[in-house]
Amino acid sequence: MHFNKKILSAVGLISGVVLFASMTAIQQPQQREEPKLKNIKVLPKGMTYGQVDHLMDEWASALGVKCNFCHAQDKASDEKPEKTMARHMYQMAAKINKKYFKAEKDSLGAVMESSVNCYTCHHGVAHVEISLRANRPRPTGQGGGPGGFQRPQGGPGGAPGGSGAQGGTNGGPGTPPPADKKP
């Protein structure tokens, strides 16, 4: 076989350039420009998009919600009241940590190690006040006076068969004395 030296050297030169270019591209990762932060009101200045995104992920996890719980379709919008509440809660936690736990801040002004955070109260529940109300033990009894409690009907101490809260003579705990006797 007889090879043309000019063609062989041209192919070798082109192969070398392609190989060099591909190695250079592999070594230099693509630098993507981070999205610009908008409408940041309470977070420390100088936080990067990645840091804010990570913080938002932590908040969403602590409340058991997704981004759209606080954010409207236009993420910079303040139309949802949950976003304003999140800002207030962030400020509250920062004040508690500063006052009671002497929380130190990093170079960006973010609390390095906090003792109180969203999860402290929320435990993965978005509306703690509703959860607490729903899980609160209810007094047992019949009817529904103020607070839903009435003394059980029955004999002394609420035992079935007597007059109990109806005015029996030996009444149970909390039964008013008969009208003819004074305490």
Side-chain angles (χ1 to χ4, degrees):
M1 259 206 232
H2 187 270
F3 291 106
N4 187 341
K5 290 183 183 181
K6 289 183 181 180
I7 293 176
L8 190 58
S9 59
V11 170
L13 184 60
I14 291 172
S15 298
V17 170
V18 169
L19 181 64
F20 180 73
S22 64
M23 294 301 286
T24 305
I26 290 172
Q27 290 177 355
Q28 294 179 353
Q30 295 286 333
Q31 294 290 337
R32 283 192 283 160
E33 191 172 313
E34 285 192 342
K36 185 171 171 99
L37 296 170
K38 299 176 192 171
N39 200 16
I40 303 295
K41 294 185 178 178
V42 297
L43 296 177
K45 303 285 186 235
M47 288 184 79
T48 66
Y49 178 85
Q51 290 169 322
V52 172
D53 189 50
H54 178 72
L55 184 62
M56 295 291 120
D57 287 343
E58 286 181 2
W59 291 2
S61 176
L63 273 67
V65 298
K66 296 192 185 291
C67 301
N68 64 356
F69 181 78
C70 295
H71 293 279
Q73 191 146 6
D74 171 16
K75 300 252 188 231
S77 168
D78 285 342
E79 75 180 71
K80 295 189 84 175
E82 292 86 356
K83 189 173 187 179
T84 302
M85 180 57 73
R87 287 177 174 142
H88 290 305
M89 298 298 273
Y90 172 78
Q91 290 172 318
M92 176 195 70
K95 286 178 185 175
I96 290 170
N97 287 329
K98 183 177 182 180
K99 182 173 182 178
Y100 296 104
F101 300 104
K102 308 296 184 225
E104 295 183 20
K105 295 185 177 184
D106 63 11
S107 61
L108 295 174
V111 176
M112 289 190 297
E113 206 174 302
S114 66
S115 297
V116 173
N117 59 36
C118 305
Y119 193 79
T120 303
C121 299
H122 283 273
H123 296 284
V125 177
H127 291 283
V128 177
E129 69 282 7
I130 295 170
S131 172
L132 290 175
R133 201 174 313 129
N135 293 328
R136 185 176 12 193
R138 300 279 183 209
T140 57
Q142 300 169 346
F149 180 77
Q150 260 186 357
R151 180 187 340 276
Q153 299 295 317
S163 53
Q166 303 297 326
T169 55
N170 61 348
T175 304
D180 60 327
K181 294 184 181 178
K182 293 191 179 183

